[in-house]
Amino acid sequence: MSDLSPLLKHPWKLQFAGLSMVVAIALAVRWWIGPSAAMETVVRREFVQSVVASGHVESPNRADFGAQITGTVLRVPVVEG
């Protein structure tokens, strides 16, 4: 019984050691599991978005498009008049 007498004289040391073990185990489990993340279920549906705005549209650059084609006109499908 002489072995238990220091623990009986200072029971707060035993309580502190037990609480420290519980906290250490809780932190180890939390570290092992990793961070939690919010989850959402993916649902297939139409994506509809409407934008109503007024303003003036300007382009930063000007571009001219054109084509030159060389060929022979075989027929003109119209009547005169």
Side-chain angles (χ1 to χ4, degrees):
M1 187 132 190
S2 63
D3 293 335
L4 294 178
S5 62
L7 293 177
L8 294 176
K9 288 181 182 178
H10 304 288
W12 59 271
K13 288 183 179 180
L14 183 61
Q15 292 171 350
F16 180 75
L19 182 63
S20 298
M21 290 286 284
V22 169
V23 169
I25 290 171
L27 289 175
V29 167
R30 182 72 181 129
W31 175 80
W32 182 263
I33 291 174
S36 62
M39 303 294 273
E40 292 290 331
T41 304
V42 177
V43 178
R44 180 182 290 251
R45 60 182 170 201
E46 288 187 34
F47 181 73
V48 178
Q49 183 178 13
S50 298
V51 177
V52 178
S54 62
H56 182 73
V57 178
E58 292 183 13
S59 65
N61 299 318
R62 183 180 173 129
D64 291 323
F65 294 98
Q68 292 181 355
I69 299 173
T70 304
T72 304
V73 177
L74 297 177
R75 65 185 177 99
V76 180
V78 294
V79 291
E80 190 174 341

